[in-house]
Amino acid sequence: MERFPVIRMEKLEGEEREAAMELLRDACENWGFFEILNHGISDELMDEVEKLTKEQYERCREKEFEAFARKALEEERSGGGEAGESMDWESTFYLRHLPTSNMADLPHLNERYKKVMREFASEIDKLAERLLDLLCENLGLEKGYLKKAFYGAKGPTFGTKVSNYPPCPNPDRIKGLRAHTDAGGIILLFQDAEVSGLQLLKDGEWVDVPPLRHSIVINIGDQLEVITNGKYKSVMHRVVAQPDRNRMSIASFYNPGADAVIFPAPALVEKAAEEENEVYPKFVFQDYMNLYVRQKFQAKEPRFEAMKALETVNGQQRPIATS
Ligand code: OGA
Ligand code: NI
């Protein structure tokens, strides 16, 4: 088995830049996932985020989860096991940062936690934009292309899902998070340094994303697959809960603005693909999300097909024909 790609970001500044960019290109084309180290977010800030997130969970959410767990296990038993296929063994809350913050509406979070999470989000935001430009470089797109493609009228949608995956008595039957691809742009995940569980589907097999202290796991969402016309793919992944340990994960989603129009970059649409009608669709991001909320745990291809159908109904011209 090839090794899960780990990129040391400091190498992008030095003599080994070319090799590091090649590793990044290979990860984007063949894994849809990679892990980065020395990404510029300080160990101190990450340690603080982890400590406060775990404390917050134990103080405020563990009890609430126990009630869910009792009910879920009961349903699973009485339903002959099928209920496990329609639930996720996770405790989560969502922080939205852009275009507007929801922090003021979250009374269960204390001020210290909010302050640290604001700081962390601002670092993740910068890192996301830096990564998008590295992707542009590898794709032969001008600097800023992807940021602009996501921008819409009010800039990107950017938020953080804070999750805990508590110990699960039946991890084979009930997943921490069922298999899915991510709808948006680029995802930056700060995962527990000790407790594993995230897996991606590669060549038909589930591969572990190894925990690595102070690393950030990056993956490609459906919108980057569309913009690159399939050169980069969003990859199926899931979380397997552990029978005896709680796993923390903090996933930040850097997504297009709701009104951003998403379409394959003309420079990445090859003539042959155009002739074979193998071009990804053009659509408004919110329309895609409306479908995704109902179909998250299904394959992405029918979503792309539905967007293609919508494009025809709307009578829009294909982007490649217009530019
Ligand atoms: C997600 C996701 C992985 C994790 O929230 O979309 O894939 O490790 N999370 O929490
Ligand atoms: Ni995901």
Side-chain angles (χ1 to χ4, degrees):
M1 191 64 184
E2 305 148 279
R3 283 165 65 99
F4 184 86
V6 178
I7 297 164
R8 299 183 168 270
M9 299 281 282
E10 79 278 13
K11 297 206 167 157
L12 292 165
E13 310 300 330
E15 279 174 13
E16 293 173 73
R17 185 165 203 277
E18 207 174 311
M21 287 301 281
E22 174 57 22
L23 189 57
L24 176 64
R25 187 199 57 75
D26 184 69
C28 291
E29 289 186 11
N30 298 312
W31 289 79
F33 267 84
F34 51 95
E35 219 158 331
I36 55 177
L37 283 167
N38 287 323
H39 37 63
I41 306 181
S42 77
D43 292 356
E44 291 73 27
L45 179 58
M46 293 186 84
D47 289 343
E48 179 86 346
V49 166
E50 179 170 355
K51 181 171 149 262
L52 294 184
T53 298
K54 288 183 173 170
E55 274 176 20
Q56 204 276 336
Y57 176 71
E58 282 162 22
R59 198 176 59 243
C60 303
R61 306 188 74 86
E62 203 165 21
K63 275 252 148 352
E64 180 189 300
F65 187 80
E66 279 164 17
F68 163 84
R70 261 194 307 277
K71 196 160 157 272
L73 290 175
E74 180 48 40
E75 264 174 40
E76 216 244 349
R77 262 190 297 273
S78 61
E82 267 170 43
E85 285 161 28
S86 56
M87 63 172 87
D88 303 300
W89 195 262
E90 63 172 3
S91 166
T92 70
F93 60 92
Y94 185 73
L95 308 175
R96 191 181 62 243
H97 315 297
L98 295 174
T100 51
S101 168
N102 71 344
M103 289 273 199
D105 313 329
L106 301 169
H108 65 290
L109 302 179
N110 65 36
E111 285 310 313
R112 177 156 173 236
Y113 188 66
K114 287 186 191 178
K115 178 169 175 285
V116 168
M117 291 311 278
R118 272 194 207 99
E119 194 184 332
F120 180 67
S122 141
E123 294 288 319
I124 289 282
D125 184 19
K126 277 190 283 185
L127 184 55
E129 291 183 359
R130 183 174 163 211
L131 285 164
L132 287 180
D133 274 340
L134 291 169
L135 266 49
C136 282
E137 188 180 332
N138 266 343
L139 288 162
L141 297 172
E142 76 199 70
K143 198 170 179 226
Y145 183 95
L146 291 172
K147 182 177 172 182
K148 220 152 77 198
F150 286 4
Y151 207 82
K154 296 185 201 140
T157 311
F158 177 51
T160 300
K161 178 181 155 198
V162 180
S163 311
N164 280 271
Y165 297 95
C168 178
N170 198 349
D172 292 336
R173 285 265 262 272
I174 311 175
K175 292 290 166 273
L177 180 58
R178 289 163 286 163
H180 64 281
T181 64
D182 292 338
I186 191 165
I187 300 87
L188 302 89
L189 173 79
F190 173 19
Q191 66 165 344
D192 202 294
E194 286 171 8
V195 184
S196 65
L198 178 59
Q199 299 182 324
L200 65 97
L201 195 59
K202 182 159 171 39
D203 306 324
E205 284 182 31
W206 290 106
V207 178
D208 288 322
V209 177
L212 202 55
R213 189 168 295 280
H214 298 140
S215 76
I216 301 275
V217 178
I218 311 296
N219 73 292
I220 303 266
D222 294 349
Q223 306 314 306
L224 278 180
E225 176 164 339
V226 173
I227 295 172
T228 64
N229 205 43
K231 201 171 168 71
Y232 293 174
K233 298 242 172 18
S234 68
V235 165
M236 275 275 181
H237 53 282
R238 68 180 186 184
V239 177
V240 178
Q242 303 295 332
D244 49 0
R245 298 185 79 181
N246 182 55
R247 171 174 178 269
M248 176 206 81
S249 95
I250 301 172
S252 297
F253 299 83
Y254 187 101
N255 289 353
D259 65 346
V261 179
I262 301 300
F263 58 91
L268 300 180
V269 178
E270 285 162 13
K271 248 211 142 27
E274 209 173 325
E275 279 160 12
E276 303 282 320
N277 199 18
E278 283 171 357
V279 181
Y280 279 71
K282 177 179 184 175
F283 51 84
V284 175
F285 180 59
Q286 187 60 49
D287 289 342
Y288 191 86
M289 286 312 280
N290 292 345
L291 189 61
Y292 183 82
V293 291
R294 285 179 277 132
Q295 300 188 356
K296 172 169 174 175
F297 299 108
Q298 294 171 29
K300 64 193 165 182
E301 289 80 7
R303 295 198 290 268
F304 295 146
E305 287 307 318
M307 288 298 115
K308 246 186 203 181
L310 193 63
E311 184 180 32
T312 316
V313 171
N314 290 348
Q316 291 172 345
Q317 283 202 301
R318 303 307 304 265
I320 36 169
T322 58
S323 49

